[in-house]
Amino acid sequence: MDHVVIAGASGFMGRHLASAMRRDGRYVRTVGRGASADATWGDRDALARAVDGAALVINLAGKPVHARYNDATRDEILRSRVETTRALGEAIAAAAAPPPVWLNASTATAYAHSTAKAHTEADPTSQQGFSEDVARAWERELDAAATPATRRVALRTTIALGHDGEATRLLFRLARLGLGGPQLDGRWFAHERYRGLTAARGTPEASAPSAGRATRGGQRFSWIHIDDAVAAVRHIEATPALVGPVNLAAPEASTNRELMRLLRHTVGMPIGIPAPRFVLEPAMWALRTESELVLKSRWVSPGKLLQSGFAFQHPRLDWALRAIWARMRAAG
């Protein structure tokens, strides 16, 4: 039986991937920080043993971004991604039998805010800002790994939707409470929490990323059903031509306004109170998260997946939401 290594297996996507690999008859070794993991990040010998002879390594480790971007949190978001990627690269480089495939998490936030066109893997990732800089640093660490015998893929993942996903449950909860209106960007007090990694405090570029955009709910929402995310991982492993960044996103992106309308329709709620930025910002402060997560337009196309023949089970958002809601209701 071949074995698969999954780092970050306790998260939403990690749990689904681990279950899927076990259903496929594969032995799963996990890497994490808890005692239940087969190898921990602080134990280089255990990490080396885990990856040696593995058929596939998947790294999903990283502090969740649903947090306020104070200096300590910014540092941990960056460090938890770069250092774990570096540790895996060193373990794979030292392995007597290195894994043939290494899939490392990244994020579709690497691309610039766009309401004009969808980004494919051929587009540059040059916009400045904290989230974009973290994505570039994450992928640079993957590219720098001395692992010539291992095919490396950066999974530029959009939001994954599923019945047991925390973000998905929050979206449905808002819709059921009548709060499922669009999130409307606008002017707000400038701050430096979104500043790029190299921006000096007090400089114009430090506060520029916090400026509002008049999208009126037209910011794009790219997404992928968790079942398609799992199937895409299987497809990427089985497709040697897929290297470098690969977008994990459904073919059909929605606007924020359409997303919230579909959520309301799915749960049978006729009203949805809009959230202008002056309402949204205090709510995000209370929830200890950032408005960027819903106000930035993330419009991503799965160019490489489609070109390589991948078939989506859930290509449309309305279908996906109905299927997820039915499963949530069945689960109680």
Side-chain angles (χ1 to χ4, degrees), residues 28 64-65 70 77 80 91 93 96 99 101 118 146 167 170 174 193 210-211 216 220 230 236 260 265 267 276 291:
V28 175
V65 296
N70 57 45
I77 287 173
S80 63
V101 185
L170 176 60
L174 290 174
R193 296 192 306 277
S210 66
R216 299 189 177 93
R220 290 285 177 160
V230 170
I236 292 168
M260 303 313 291
H265 179 75
V267 303
S291 64

Side-chain angles (χ1 to χ4, degrees), residues 12-56:
F12 173 49
M13 187 176 294
R15 295 195 309 271
H16 279 264
L17 280 169
S19 296
M21 295 296 168
R22 291 183 179 114
R23 289 196 302 271
D24 291 344
R26 310 177 82 173
Y27 180 72
V28 175
R29 293 177 179 169
T30 60
V31 180
R33 303 190 186 279
S36 61
D38 296 302
T40 58
W41 291 111
D43 189 338
R44 296 183 64 175
D45 291 339
L47 188 58
R49 289 193 298 270
V51 303
D52 198 7
L56 172 66

Side-chain angles (χ1 to χ4, degrees), residues 113 183-185 219 277 280 291-297:
H113 172 100
Q183 287 87 49
L184 306 173
D185 204 348
Q219 65 269 30
R277 193 167 180 186
L280 184 64
S291 64
E292 180 193 49
L293 299 176
V294 294
L295 295 180
K296 180 180 178 180
S297 185

Side-chain angles (χ1 to χ4, degrees), residues 101-260:
V101 185
W102 173 13
L103 309 184
N104 206 75
S106 183
T107 172
T109 305
Y111 299 108
H113 172 100
S114 174
T115 57
K117 66 181 287 289
H119 290 291
T120 70
E121 296 89 345
D123 290 321
T125 56
S126 55
Q127 181 167 309
Q128 300 301 304
F130 173 66
S131 299
E132 295 84 1
D133 286 358
V134 167
R136 283 189 289 271
W138 204 356
E139 293 189 11
R140 278 198 303 269
E141 198 62 46
L142 176 65
D143 293 340
T147 57
T150 301
R151 174 165 58 97
R152 287 164 286 174
V153 175
L155 304 174
R156 289 183 179 166
T157 309
T158 55
I159 183 171
L161 301 177
H163 73 283
D164 55 340
E166 181 179 353
T168 312
R169 289 197 299 264
L170 176 60
L171 287 171
F172 275 107
R173 190 178 307 122
L174 290 174
R176 294 181 69 189
L177 292 173
L179 303 175
Q183 287 87 49
L184 306 173
D185 204 348
R187 297 182 65 180
W188 187 248
F189 302 104
H191 61 77
E192 299 185 346
R193 296 192 306 277
Y194 301 165
R195 69 187 186 277
L197 296 177
T198 60
R201 282 186 171 279
T203 59
E205 63 267 24
S207 59
S210 66
R213 304 177 177 101
T215 51
R216 299 189 177 93
Q219 65 269 30
R220 290 285 177 160
F221 174 79
S222 287
W223 58 280
I224 188 169
H225 192 287
I226 189 62
D227 291 348
D228 279 328
V230 170
V233 165
R234 290 191 179 111
H235 175 79
I236 292 168
E237 182 188 8
T239 309
L242 289 174
V243 296
V246 173
N247 294 340
L248 293 194
E252 177 190 281
S254 166
T255 63
N256 174 267
R257 188 178 293 277
E258 178 67 3
L259 162 69
M260 303 313 291

